[in-house]
């Protein structure tokens, strides 16, 4: 059955018109799913209901075409070409847990890099809701051997993992364009609950704020985010950061996350 689905998906993809050649401000509205996924209509109804949805080349999803490590697949979402971004959903069509991550950009750029677990070859989508209520979609297809969502984390089998749980490593540096880049690594097993005998255990919320309380980004990881997650975000040039940035959050068992970092 899985093999047949992949054959149908590939045939649909080959039948689609080319997606290039559009002006930057011209989203592709009213077209069939450019990734040719047989699950698209179900996902559209489940996540967007009657809201307006457009496929938009300004929403970028960068991921490897072939992922050799399905437990740790790098993904970068960039919706900074859009204005009025209020939230971004990351969906993985063929994962058993489709919703992988949600973020609200606040005063940071509407872009985020992270790593995912993939259960099989699949489209990965970013759905971006702007202030007018329209969802703008971009995506990429990744081929992988899969099975990652049903495997136990390495951390859950370690005897001393609780000692380091939710510790945060961070780096903040200035880029050539004057923006600041923040990279966070949090020690956490991010168990999906799909491995036999291992309960679901993942980070639910992560807030990054400036010292004066301004929200830079709110991240809501879900179970498909890779173990010991790494998040990379950008703070635009001209946004003054003269006091430590604060990182705070919690996991689904109520364990707290807290750290500060300076440029």
């Amino acid at each position: 059955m899985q093999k047949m689905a992949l054959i149908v998906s590939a045939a649909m993809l080959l039948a689609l018109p080319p997606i290039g050649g559009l002006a930057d401000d011209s989203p592709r509205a009213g077209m069939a799913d450019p990734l040719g996924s047989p699950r698209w209509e179900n996902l559209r109804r489940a996540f967007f209901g009657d809201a307006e949805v457009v496929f938009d080349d300004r929403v970028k999803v960068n991921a490897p075409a072939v992922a050799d490590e399905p437990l740790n697949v790098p993904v970068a979402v960039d919706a900074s070409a859009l204005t009025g971004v209020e939230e971004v959903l990351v969906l993985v069509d063929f994962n058993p847990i489709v919703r992988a991550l949600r973020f609200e950009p606040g005063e940071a750029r509407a872009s985020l890099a992270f790593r995912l677990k993939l259960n099989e070859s699949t489209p990965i989508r970013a759905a971006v809701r702007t202030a007018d209520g329209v969802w703008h979609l971009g995506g990429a297809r990744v081929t992988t051997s899969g099975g990652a969502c049903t495997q136990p984390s390495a951390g859950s089998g370690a005897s001393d993992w609780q000692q380091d749980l939710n510790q945060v490593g961070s780096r903040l540096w200035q880029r050539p364009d004057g923006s600041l880049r923040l990279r966070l690594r949090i020690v956490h097993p991010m168990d999906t609950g799909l491995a036999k005998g291992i309960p679901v255990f993942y980070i639910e919320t992560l807030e990054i704020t400036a010292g004066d309380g301004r929200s830079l980004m709110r991240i809501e990881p879900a179970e498909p985010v890779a173990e010991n997650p790494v998040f990379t975000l950008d703070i635009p040039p001209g946004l003054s950061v003269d006091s430590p940035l604060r990182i705070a959050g919690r996991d689904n068992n109520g364990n707290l996350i807290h750290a500060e970092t300076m440029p």
Side-chain angles (χ1 to χ4, degrees):
M1 184 63 72
Q2 180 180 349
K3 182 177 180 181
M4 180 63 71
L6 290 174
I7 293 172
V8 171
S9 179
M12 292 175 66
L13 184 60
L14 290 173
L16 291 173
I19 63 176
L22 294 170
D24 288 344
D25 59 353
S26 301
R28 302 190 311 274
M31 291 180 64
D33 175 24
L35 295 175
S37 171
R39 293 208 65 191
W40 163 241
E41 280 303 317
N42 289 334
L43 295 180
R44 183 187 61 78
R45 288 192 294 268
F47 288 95
F48 311 114
D50 295 328
E52 183 180 357
V53 177
V54 296
F55 296 108
D56 194 330
D57 288 329
R58 294 171 293 177
V59 179
K60 307 295 185 185
V61 177
N62 293 314
V66 178
D68 295 326
E69 298 183 38
L71 283 165
N72 205 28
V73 179
V75 178
V77 172
D78 187 353
S80 59
L82 296 173
T83 58
V85 174
E86 296 195 344
E87 67 172 310
V88 180
L89 292 177
V90 178
L91 308 175
V92 183
D93 285 28
F94 290 110
N95 263 8
I97 302 169
V98 173
R99 176 171 156 163
L101 181 143
R102 175 183 179 272
F103 71 91
E104 299 172 2
E107 294 195 38
R109 282 181 175 153
S111 61
L112 184 66
F114 48 91
R115 291 174 181 265
L116 293 178
K117 300 185 287 278
L118 298 184
N119 214 51
E120 59 182 283
S121 299
T122 182
I124 300 174
R125 305 177 189 271
V128 182
R129 182 173 62 83
T130 47
D132 57 4
V134 176
W135 288 95
H136 303 257
L137 266 70
R141 180 177 288 278
V142 178
T143 299
T144 187
S145 57
C149 290
T150 57
Q151 295 183 35
S153 64
S156 62
S159 59
D160 59 350
W161 66 268
Q162 289 182 323
Q163 298 175 15
D164 297 326
L165 180 70
N166 284 343
Q167 287 190 12
V168 178
S170 63
R171 182 186 172 205
L172 181 63
W173 71 98
Q174 190 167 46
R175 305 179 69 211
D177 65 358
S179 65
L180 292 175
R181 173 157 288 181
L182 174 62
R183 181 164 294 153
L184 305 171
R185 180 182 183 272
I186 306 169
V187 178
H188 202 285
M190 299 297 290
D191 282 306
T192 63
L194 300 175
K196 185 176 180 180
I198 299 176
V200 61
F201 189 33
Y202 66 99
I203 298 169
E204 286 186 324
T205 62
L206 197 62
E207 299 262 7
I208 299 99
T209 57
D212 60 7
R214 289 171 299 159
S215 175
L216 299 176
M217 184 172 287
R218 175 183 173 88
I219 306 171
E220 298 175 1
E223 299 94 318
V225 171
E227 181 178 2
N228 298 326
V230 176
F231 301 105
T232 304
L233 59 133
D234 291 325
I235 301 167
L239 187 62
S240 177
V241 179
D242 53 8
S243 57
L245 300 184
R246 297 172 182 168
I247 300 103
R250 68 176 186 181
D251 62 31
N252 68 315
N253 282 2
N255 301 298
L256 299 181
I257 300 167
H258 178 75
E260 292 186 348
T261 188
M262 277 290 288

